[in-house]
């Protein structure tokens, strides 16, 4: 799998990690990372929505549900960032989805394997969507809302919680947008310097 399609979990919140399942959203060819039920399963476990060993029964309806929630969260997050604020319809829909609440968890003991975390009852689609939606509700109802930042990459609109020292984080990822920025800046400096002279120094 190429780095461009790897699932990412570096935004600081589950609901924002869902938005990160699309890359290069402002480019002419966005990258869809949530392109099947298997990828949704991997994302739900990787993001910590369910314990790592929790079996899930997902289908195309589940994928459609998460893609719809992702679109709604994208509108809400960016409306909040640009100061217009989310619409009443989007807030009402988010609150309805969040009403299922977080998944109830329990600790089980397995002989020879110690303790492990499981859900109290097998989660259905409403439970899974509710867990992510409630994370968004908690984020926007907390002081962390003031730490939301949008990546400065020219084709990227991913949003993250800036928990860096001095609150100076500029990029969604050091290995993605930041690296592309530094490579482009280096190439620009070399271009401005002109071709090297015969001695190896810039002309």
């Amino acid at each position: 799998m190429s780095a461009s399609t790897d699932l990412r979990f570096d935004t600081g919140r589950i609901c924002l990690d869902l938005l990160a399942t699309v890359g290069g959203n402002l480019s002419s060819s966005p990258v869809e990372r949530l392109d099947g039920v298997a990828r949704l399963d991997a994302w739900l476990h990787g993001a910590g929505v369910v314990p790592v060993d929790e079996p899930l029964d997902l289908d195309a309806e589940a994928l459609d549900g998460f893609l719809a929630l992702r679109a709604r969260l994208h509108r809400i997050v960016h409306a909040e960032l640009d100061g217009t604020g989310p619409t009443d319809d989007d807030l009402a829909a988010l609150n309805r989805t969040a009403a299922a609440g977080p998944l109830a968890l329990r600790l089980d003991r397995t002989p020879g394997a110690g303790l492990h975390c499981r859900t109290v009852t097998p989660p259905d689609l409403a439970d899974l969507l509710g867990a992510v939606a409630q994370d968004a509700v908690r984020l926007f109802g907390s002081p962390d809302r003031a730490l939301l930042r949008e990546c400065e990459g020219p084709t990227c609109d991913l949003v993250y919680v800036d928990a860096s020292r001095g609150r100076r984080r500029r990029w969604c990822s050091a290995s993605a947008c930041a690296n592309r920025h530094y490579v482009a800046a280096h190439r620009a400096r070399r271009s401005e310097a002109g071709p090297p002279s015969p001695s190896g120094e810039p002309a």
Side-chain angles (χ1 to χ4, degrees):
M1 183 186 304
S2 68
S4 64
T5 57
D6 283 344
L7 293 173
R8 295 177 49 185
F9 307 101
D10 51 5
T11 68
R13 296 298 294 241
I14 290 173
C15 61
L16 301 180
D17 282 344
L18 181 59
L19 299 186
T21 57
V22 176
N25 213 28
L26 302 180
S27 71
S28 59
S29 54
V31 175
E32 176 59 76
R33 299 184 173 109
L34 212 59
D35 56 1
V37 172
R39 297 283 279 171
L40 175 60
D41 186 286
W43 183 82
L44 287 165
H45 287 95
V49 179
V50 293
V52 292
D53 60 349
E54 182 78 25
L56 294 175
D57 183 16
L58 303 172
D59 56 17
E61 180 185 1
L63 181 60
D64 289 344
F66 271 92
L67 294 179
L69 176 59
R70 184 180 70 184
R72 179 169 293 114
L73 285 173
H74 186 275
R75 292 194 299 270
I76 291 172
V77 168
H78 286 277
E80 185 69 15
L81 284 175
D82 67 24
T84 60
T87 66
D88 291 341
D89 285 347
D90 275 337
L91 283 183
L94 180 67
N95 286 330
R96 284 195 301 271
T97 304
L103 295 168
L105 303 176
R106 72 172 189 266
L107 280 176
D108 282 348
R109 188 187 305 276
T110 302
L115 299 174
H116 64 279
C117 182
R118 295 295 298 272
T119 57
V120 172
T121 57
D124 61 17
L125 178 55
D127 295 327
L128 297 172
L129 291 168
V132 178
Q134 189 159 113
D135 180 67
V137 170
R138 291 181 181 276
L139 170 60
F140 282 100
S142 77
D144 282 352
R145 180 178 59 182
L147 302 179
L148 291 175
R149 304 286 186 271
E150 184 175 343
C151 179
E152 294 185 14
T155 64
C156 183
D157 69 346
L158 293 188
V159 176
Y160 53 87
V161 175
D162 184 5
S164 66
R165 188 173 184 176
R167 306 292 185 260
R168 295 178 179 176
R169 181 176 169 185
R170 299 174 57 194
W171 316 102
C172 64
S173 169
S175 63
C177 289
N179 186 58
R180 284 192 287 270
H181 168 77
Y182 294 128
V183 168
H186 176 68
R187 287 175 177 167
R189 287 194 297 271
R190 290 188 63 181
S191 177
E192 290 173 0
S197 66
S199 65
E201 296 296 326

